[in-house]
Amino acid sequence: MEILECWELAAGYGHRTVVLVEELKAHKGELICFLGPNGAGKSTLLKTVAGLLAPLGGAVYLKGERLEKVSLKERASALAVVLTDRCLPGLLTVFEAVALGRHPHTGLLGKLSRRDERVVWESLRLVGAEELASRFYGDLSDGEKQKVLIARALAQEPEIMILDEPTVHLDLQHRAGIMSLLLRLCREKGITVFLSLHEVDLALKGTAYVVLVHEGRVLGMGLPEELLTAEAVSRLYGSGVGEFDPVTGAVELRLPAEGPLVFVVAGGGKGAKVIRALAKRGYRLACGVLPENDVDVFVARGVGAELITVPAFAPVGKEALELARPYLKEAQAVVDTGFPLVPATEGNRTLLKWAADAGKPLFSLRSEGFPSGRRAAGLTALLQMLENLFASA
Amino acid sequence: MRRFHWAFFLGFVILVFGVLVASLGWGSVKVPPGKVLAVLLHPGRPGLAEAVVVKIRLPRALGALLGGAALGVSGLLLQVFFRNPIVSPYVLGISSGASLAVGILALSALTAGLSLTPSLLALAAFAGAFVVTAAVAALAPRTRSVVTLLVIGLMFGYLASACTSILLAFAEKERVHGFYLWTFGSFAPMDWGKVTVLAAAGLPLLFSSFLLGKALNAYQGGEEYALSVGLDVRRFRVAVVVLSSALAGLVTAFAGPVAFIGLAVPHLARLVLRTADNRVLIPAVILLGAAVTGLCDLLARQLFCPVELPITAVTSLFGAPLVIGFLLKGKVRM
């Protein structure tokens, strides 16, 4: 049976509906992520699902029963929340803060039984915060506070956990830590987790099921791997920022490019960092010749470079070279990124020869082997050389 | 409860007892501590010391102790409820609301020839305090700013004071004097009748506040967290508004508006005990509030004897620098 269901749910404040969800079902041990830009209505939706806001229409069912009909105490032992507000009194020790989660299970004065204390310790252990137990909550970092709030929710021994933006304002390490913790809770403890995120890459990499929320409507729900195409993401967030690449799960920033055209001869992943570095300095870029499956292709496409490609695993042939020739001609500098010298990239060597013959300024990041142009010891040196070149021109 | 708390509590109890004995012994008629204890153990005996201690000093001292406890707990409840470390019944205008109600009753009842019983006074003060507390509580969700809430409270205070002044302007002059003195705040007019009402109403209120400790703890993370752990937030709000205004109103009815006890004592308790657990803080605030207020009353009475100071003069002289110090050192943590 579904542990939580939403039907025709309208969530909002007062008379203003913020989000509409037609149908949503969650089973034991599932992790469901509401993904969307800030202000899409994710928090409102989560709070309604958690019963903190009364639905404006439709209903939420907890194990088949309408949530409003479930008593507060029963609700509290089935459903726990972690909100974006991390305000707890600074003079509470971490242990006491986590023990607040035992509220629905303790008596009139809230005295902890042996079992209550065991559950608090177990919750602290699960989030890896045992050694913080006697510290004051006010002295913790944001990441530690978040762990403590999750432990507090775990101490409720809930079947469902609802987390609003659990990774916001956290550094990379804590973000990854929180996501893997949530996945572990689903798998090992069978807890159903609802969370909201605004980071696409984190949703793609860390969650198993996403609900795309945009301007109060659900655009789709399903596997993030299937749903999160470049088009869907640009619809969700607007296309202004850059291109989302579903393979790498990354968004390359589309930066203004008005400088001189630089032809980057890339391949085998050698081009990615060069392309990014050049794009950030405002050079217009042409990249080639690359097989479609090369990682350099994704980066080059992301930053908006001109691309000359051949099909995956195909050698760089004559046709591709002819396509590259006009760009090469126009280019004011050519960079050899040090692509692997294999039979398939024979054509790219030809490109470099053409450039040298045409007297184009040619720079190479290659330390040995195929010699071409002026050698740059690294990316910093290359950027300096290009700058000098165009400064004198 | 952490283990070392017991030691502190023992200290607090000794402190309260010390203040009580000092209050009973010190004055124009000096009674040594040994004699004070003897009188307390056998209160029925005749004699000058007995009369002074039992009839005059004891009700006043008990009134100050109970009043301080009530004000402190009222302040603690409000601080947790508004999640704001610098609110108190005085700051939020609750004491002024109570004063206004008492003023209306006192000035009009005297003209109408009614007799003012202590319980009638207490009821009026509670009504005045409740109206202001409920109004501030209703407005509070509209603002997230700590400062706006304070300003709202201040404005309510001004409103109530304005009404009181208008009332005074129209009142008969000989009646004004007594009321005017009362508005400065003093435990001097305490007698056994008033203390009985104060204790009969105050002690159950204090005990109820203690029972609210678990809920107060759950509420510290905000309304949504409280709801999510199963706290009936609506009932809780009513309970806090009623308890805090009843406690503050009760003291105001008999001693007038008293500043700073409700604000400073909860912080003093937090500072000493280093905890935010309200189940520990409430008993601590009861004892510390009693000790501090008892001491302030003693000083108000004896500092410039025979001239008696209003108690708010003493509490403010101590309280204001203390609070400024807390704020500047960033020690105001909840």
Side-chain angles (χ1 to χ4, degrees), chain B residues 213-237:
Chain B
K214 179 184 168 184
L216 286 167
N217 285 353
Y219 199 80
Q220 279 175 323
E223 196 180 314
E224 285 171 333
Y225 275 128
L227 194 58
S228 83
V229 292
L231 182 71
D232 187 338
V233 171
R234 209 171 297 172
R235 263 176 54 192
F236 171 77
R237 295 178 123 194

Side-chain angles (χ1 to χ4, degrees), chain A residues 259-262 277-278 280-283 332-335 361 363 374 376 378-393:
Chain A
L261 183 74
V262 177
L278 294 180
K280 273 181 279 190
R281 274 152 187 86
Y283 296 114
Q332 285 168 271
V334 178
V335 177
F363 303 96
R374 290 175 58 196
L379 207 47
T380 318
L382 173 71
L383 291 171
Q384 191 59 52
M385 286 166 150
L386 282 170
E387 204 172 296
N388 292 342
L389 171 73
F390 294 118
S392 61

Side-chain angles (χ1 to χ4, degrees), chain B residues 105-151:
Chain B
L105 183 74
L107 298 171
S108 65
L110 286 169
T111 27
L114 277 170
S115 68
L116 277 180
T117 63
S119 18
L120 201 60
L121 269 178
L123 272 177
F126 166 59
F130 178 80
V131 169
V132 176
T133 315
V136 177
L139 288 176
R142 299 199 185 180
T143 169
R144 303 212 88 191
S145 149
V146 171
V147 179
T148 314
L149 184 71
L150 292 185
V151 175

Side-chain angles (χ1 to χ4, degrees), chain B residues 35-60:
Chain B
K35 178 89 178 165
V36 168
L37 291 179
V39 172
L40 285 179
L41 288 174
H42 311 282
R45 289 185 190 164
L48 176 65
E50 279 80 359
V52 168
V53 168
V54 175
K55 289 225 174 83
I56 301 171
R57 290 189 191 156
L58 191 55
R60 176 171 182 166

